[in-house]
Amino acid sequence: MIAAGSASASVINCSDLDGNLGDKVTPNQGCQVLEPLDGNVNTSLTVVNNAEFFGYSDWLFDGKYEDTNGNLINDPDDPATIVSFNGDAQSGTWELVVLDFWSNFENLMFAFKDGADTNIVAYDMLNGALSGAYATPLTDPPFDLSGAGEDRDISHISVYYRGNGNNEVPTPGSLLLVGIGLVMLGWALRRRKDPAPASTA
């Protein structure tokens, strides 16, 4: 149980709700919703860890994608570095940017948020997955969207990860720098092994 303002909240498995939410983001190994269903709680590291999504309280925040004029863009204030999303506020695709992510971490979670009459819908992505698809999970059912007439647009998708101690997620740029550094080190060591040319007098 967590405190969200003065109301208490907990998570419920999507399989216990109507609406087939588990099929909205693929491939995943779990789907949970923060209760109450109309709680309109914002995604934050504190909320995610206090609610213990998927039984864990040690999630780390990577960044988020947000709806801007109907398109999902990487939030300039909290940019996501592990994955990229390509699509709009209703559906699209995702893919890992850090390709060796799964060799260092155990879980990758996407938390979807909109506004009134909905709450956080989170997906524990399938271990080893490199890409997949998403569609808005903010649907009726399980949410009571009377008067909305259609599925709600995604306000933002927050990306969380966990596992293997305190490892930091390498960014693509830092991986390139490490590779260049190793090549330069190999070149320098090779030059040291080569005998100096004999001098002629």
Side-chain angles (χ1 to χ4, degrees), residues 134-190:
Y134 73 88
T136 180
L138 307 161
T139 62
D140 183 357
F143 302 105
D144 183 6
L145 304 180
S146 57
E150 59 185 25
D151 299 339
R152 294 281 174 86
D153 281 353
I154 299 160
S155 168
H156 59 269
I157 305 172
S158 296
V159 179
Y160 298 90
Y161 62 99
R162 63 168 300 280
N164 292 356
N166 295 320
N167 294 347
E168 291 184 19
V169 175
T171 62
S174 67
L175 290 175
L176 178 62
L177 288 175
V178 168
I180 291 171
L182 290 173
V183 168
M184 295 298 292
L185 179 61
W187 178 77
L189 289 173
R190 182 180 168 101

Side-chain angles (χ1 to χ4, degrees), residues 25-41:
V25 181
T26 60
N28 75 75
Q29 58 191 11
C31 173
Q32 293 184 333
V33 179
L34 189 66
E35 291 188 298
L37 294 182
D38 62 352
N40 192 19
V41 175

Side-chain angles (χ1 to χ4, degrees), residues 4 25 37 43 48 73-74 88 104 112 142 152 160 162-163 166 175 192:
V25 181
L37 294 182
T43 55
V48 164
I73 66 162
N74 209 354
D88 57 32
N104 296 303
F112 290 73
R152 294 281 174 86
Y160 298 90
R162 63 168 300 280
N166 295 320
L175 290 175
R192 288 185 87 180

Side-chain angles (χ1 to χ4, degrees), residues 53-175:
F53 274 95
F54 308 104
Y56 303 115
S57 61
D58 59 349
W59 292 103
L60 300 171
F61 177 66
D62 175 53
K64 65 183 178 180
Y65 272 71
E66 62 182 5
D67 175 17
T68 302
N69 299 321
N71 293 309
L72 283 185
I73 66 162
N74 209 354
D75 186 337
D77 296 324
D78 289 312
T81 61
I82 297 172
V83 299
S84 66
F85 290 89
N86 183 20
D88 57 32
Q90 282 285 316
S91 63
T93 59
W94 69 269
E95 65 180 328
L96 276 180
V97 175
V98 178
L99 298 181
D100 66 344
F101 174 83
W102 293 114
S103 63
N104 296 303
F105 297 92
E106 296 176 12
N107 296 87
L108 176 63
M109 180 173 70
F110 303 153
F112 290 73
K113 178 71 178 76
D114 177 43
D117 302 321
T118 67
N119 216 338
I120 300 168
V121 183
Y123 294 85
D124 186 14
M125 303 313 293
L126 184 66
N127 192 292
L130 300 180
S131 63
Y134 73 88
T136 180
L138 307 161
T139 62
D140 183 357
F143 302 105
D144 183 6
L145 304 180
S146 57
E150 59 185 25
D151 299 339
R152 294 281 174 86
D153 281 353
I154 299 160
S155 168
H156 59 269
I157 305 172
S158 296
V159 179
Y160 298 90
Y161 62 99
R162 63 168 300 280
N164 292 356
N166 295 320
N167 294 347
E168 291 184 19
V169 175
T171 62
S174 67
L175 290 175

